[in-house]
């Protein structure tokens, strides 16, 4: 039946349809009525859904409240206490919250960052050492772990379980035990120098040579003298250290710790990459090969983009682990020779437990936390999935156009 000449057609009422023409469709009045009728139950249901969700949220908080309490007591509260201690001059012999300790504000931080002195020099030396450690360990261990995962994941390799166990075994072995073994291997008369001597190379003094690797190599080529700094580099500096010190590279002893870190951590990240590789559809790689791509092109354009989230995870874990290195330094060198293996984590330990300056130790820990957060954010920006951002922008634009139409 037509109404008001608008051409509205009464739709047949289906089962359960409410009376009163709720099923009508029209270009004007009928369409408006129909739309309003359709929205009514949705709004009512929305209020009921929100009430249900509110109860669900209450029950959810009730179930997770024990873990929230535990995290608050054993994580957030100690962090807040450590932050307060970093503003004190406290020797650990009194209650830091009773007023017995001297409140110095940000002096502990200024001593480490801006005020010339031994504290600043030691902290910047540890930052330099740890920076070289990070720049060498993270890329090498990531590339090695990915290469091992690709090799183990290959269809041509037999005995994959054996290789996974062999590669992962150093990661589950005690770090103290492995550090002790490396300490004997890299002694002056150890097995490593014996092998080098067998091929005609005189091995270095691994744990007593304080020269940087860069100046040692350039000195071997006759370009510079490692014992005589270049005046232009020695006269100018940055953050309390001369450019000669900043550009010296890791010491020979630090290179030993770097080798240890790469060997012990690559197996763990290999398993992470291996699990991600097994989730990549084989049809994608086969399609790329059928389109004329070689193995490297297929890996670079198909497999590697699929591993981007896992790559971000591995690099993040690598950054956190390398900036917190302590056990190998404690066992193998304790900062020697000449503080060339000193790291912020070990410096924080010595400041607190040897020098009884817990305020400075806590300040070093928070500065280390800030460095880790900044580097994590930087690598997050560098490894972000630009294609995913573009796809999300296009999807959002399509949804907006759909709503306006």
């Amino acid at each position: 039946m037509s109404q008001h000449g608008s051409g509205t057609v009464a739709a047949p009422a289906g089962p359960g349809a409410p009376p009163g023409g709720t099923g009508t469709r029209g270009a004007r009045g009928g369409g408006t009525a129909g739309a309003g009728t359709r929205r009514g139950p949705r709004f009512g249901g929305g209020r009921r859904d929100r009430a249900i969700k509110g109860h669900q949220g209450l029950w959810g908080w009730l179930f997770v409240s024990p873990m929230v309490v535990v995290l608050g007591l054993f994580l957030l509260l100690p962090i807040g206490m450590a932050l307060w201690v970093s503003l004190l001059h406290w020797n650990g012999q009194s209650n830091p919250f009773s007023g017995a300790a001297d409140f110095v504000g940000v002096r502990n931080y200024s001593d480490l960052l801006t005020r010339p002195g031994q504290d600043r020099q030691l902290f910047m030396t540890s930052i330099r050492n740890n920076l070289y450690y990070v720049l060498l360990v993270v890329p090498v261990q990531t590339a090695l772990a990915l290469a091992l995962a690709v090799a183990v994941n290959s269809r041509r390799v037999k005995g994959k379980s054996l290789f996974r166990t062999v590669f992962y075994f150093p990661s589950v072995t005690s770090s103290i035990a492995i550090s002790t073994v490396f300490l004997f291997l890299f002694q002056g008369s150890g097995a490593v120098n014996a092998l080098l001597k067998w091929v005609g190379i005189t091995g270095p003094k691994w744990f007593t040579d304080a020269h940087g690797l860069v100046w040692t190599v350039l000195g071997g080529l006759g370009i510079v003298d490692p014992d005589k700094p270049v005046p232009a580099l020695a006269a100018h500096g940055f953050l309390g250290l001369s450019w000669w010190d900043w550009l010296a590279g890791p010491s020979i002893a630090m290179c030993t710790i770097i080798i240890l870190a790469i060997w012990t951590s690559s197996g763990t990240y290999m398993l992470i990459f291996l699990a991600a590789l097994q989730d990549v559809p084989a049809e994608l790689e086969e399609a790329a090969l059928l389109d004329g791509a070689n193995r490297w092109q297929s890996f670079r354009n198909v497999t590697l983009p699929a591993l981007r989230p896992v790559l971000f995870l591995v690099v993040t874990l690598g950054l956190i682990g390398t900036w917190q290195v302590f056990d190998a330094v404690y066992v193998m060198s304790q900062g020697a020779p000449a503080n060339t293996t000193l790291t912020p984590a070990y410096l924080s330990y010595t400041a607190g437990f040897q020098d009884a300056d817990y305020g400075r130790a806590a300040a070093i820990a928070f500065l280390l936390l800030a460095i880790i957060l900044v580097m994590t954010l930087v690598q997050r920006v560098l490894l972000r999935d630009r294609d995913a951002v573009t796809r999300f922008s296009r999807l959002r634009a399509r949804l907006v156009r759909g709503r306006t139409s």
Side-chain angles (χ1 to χ4, degrees):
M1 175 186 300
S2 66
Q3 298 177 356
H4 306 290
S6 60
T8 304
V9 180
T22 58
T24 59
R25 297 177 299 175
R28 296 179 186 174
T32 305
T37 306
R38 287 193 301 269
R39 290 176 183 172
R42 186 179 63 182
F43 289 153
R47 285 191 296 269
R48 185 167 58 242
D49 291 344
R50 285 195 294 271
I52 293 175
K53 290 182 179 179
H55 290 299
Q56 290 177 348
L58 180 61
W59 281 106
W61 279 109
L62 183 62
F63 283 125
V64 302
S65 58
M67 184 55 64
V68 172
V69 172
V70 170
L71 290 177
L73 289 177
F74 296 99
L75 182 63
L76 298 180
L77 183 60
I79 290 177
M81 295 173 62
L83 182 61
W84 171 252
V85 169
S86 69
L87 305 177
L88 305 176
H89 180 68
W90 183 51
N91 59 3
Q93 301 299 320
S94 60
N95 187 354
F97 304 100
S98 63
D102 297 330
F103 180 81
V104 295
V106 296
R107 182 177 177 181
N108 290 323
Y109 294 93
S110 63
D111 288 344
L112 297 171
L113 296 176
T114 60
R115 187 171 301 174
Q118 184 180 9
D119 293 341
R120 182 191 184 194
Q121 184 178 8
L122 287 177
F123 180 69
M124 291 305 165
T125 300
S126 67
I127 293 295
R128 179 205 61 183
N129 299 336
N130 214 145
L131 183 62
Y132 278 113
Y133 182 85
V134 171
L135 293 178
L136 290 177
V137 171
V138 174
V140 174
Q141 76 179 5
T142 303
L144 180 59
L146 181 57
L148 292 176
V150 171
V152 173
N153 193 52
S154 177
R155 298 178 181 178
R156 301 178 182 179
V157 176
K158 297 181 180 180
K160 295 182 180 181
S161 300
L162 176 62
F163 285 107
R164 284 198 299 264
T165 303
V166 171
F167 294 148
Y168 185 64
F169 184 75
S171 301
V172 297
T173 307
S174 171
S175 59
I176 302 299
I178 295 180
S179 300
T180 304
V181 172
F182 264 67
L183 188 62
F184 284 101
L185 291 177
F186 285 89
Q187 290 292 332
S189 58
V192 175
N193 281 351
L195 291 176
L196 293 176
K197 185 177 180 180
W198 185 67
V199 296
I201 301 176
T202 301
K205 300 177 181 179
W206 296 98
F207 294 105
T208 57
D209 192 351
H211 293 98
L213 183 63
V214 175
W215 301 140
T216 300
V217 174
L218 294 179
L221 298 176
I223 299 177
V224 297
D225 186 355
D227 297 320
K228 295 181 179 180
V230 178
L233 297 178
H236 302 84
F238 176 69
L239 295 177
L241 295 181
S242 67
W243 286 112
W244 175 267
D245 294 328
W246 280 109
L247 301 176
S251 65
I252 305 300
M254 180 59 78
C255 290
T256 307
I257 302 177
I258 289 173
I259 295 172
L260 169 65
I262 294 173
W263 185 65
T264 55
S265 60
S266 298
T268 300
Y269 301 130
M270 178 208 67
L271 292 182
I272 298 176
F273 278 126
L274 185 59
L277 284 172
Q278 293 176 352
D279 287 338
V280 177
E283 293 80 5
L284 296 178
E285 299 179 355
E286 294 175 355
L289 296 177
L290 291 176
D291 288 339
N294 55 32
R295 293 287 182 182
W296 166 247
Q297 291 173 339
S298 175
F299 175 78
R300 182 169 60 90
N301 297 314
V302 177
T303 306
L304 200 56
L307 297 178
R308 189 186 298 271
V310 180
L311 184 63
F312 171 75
L313 173 64
V314 170
V315 174
T316 302
L317 294 177
L319 285 175
I320 296 174
T322 51
W323 275 109
Q324 294 179 343
V325 57
F326 172 80
D327 46 0
V329 175
Y330 179 82
V331 174
M332 300 176 69
S333 63
Q334 297 186 357
N339 294 324
T340 56
T341 61
L342 186 66
T343 61
Y346 185 76
L347 181 62
S348 177
Y349 164 79
T350 57
F353 293 96
Q354 294 183 9
D355 300 337
D357 192 349
Y358 290 92
R360 179 161 57 93
I364 294 172
F366 278 99
L367 290 175
L368 182 59
L369 174 62
I371 293 173
I372 293 175
L373 292 178
V374 169
M375 295 198 70
T376 301
L377 292 176
V378 169
Q379 66 97 14
R380 181 182 179 86
V381 172
L382 295 177
L383 294 178
R384 70 182 184 274
D385 190 354
R386 297 179 177 86
D387 295 335
V389 175
T390 304
R391 290 194 299 269
F392 176 76
S393 301
R394 292 176 179 175
L395 178 60
R396 183 174 58 181
R398 191 179 301 115
L399 291 175
V400 171
R401 287 196 301 267
R403 291 174 182 175
T404 55
S405 61

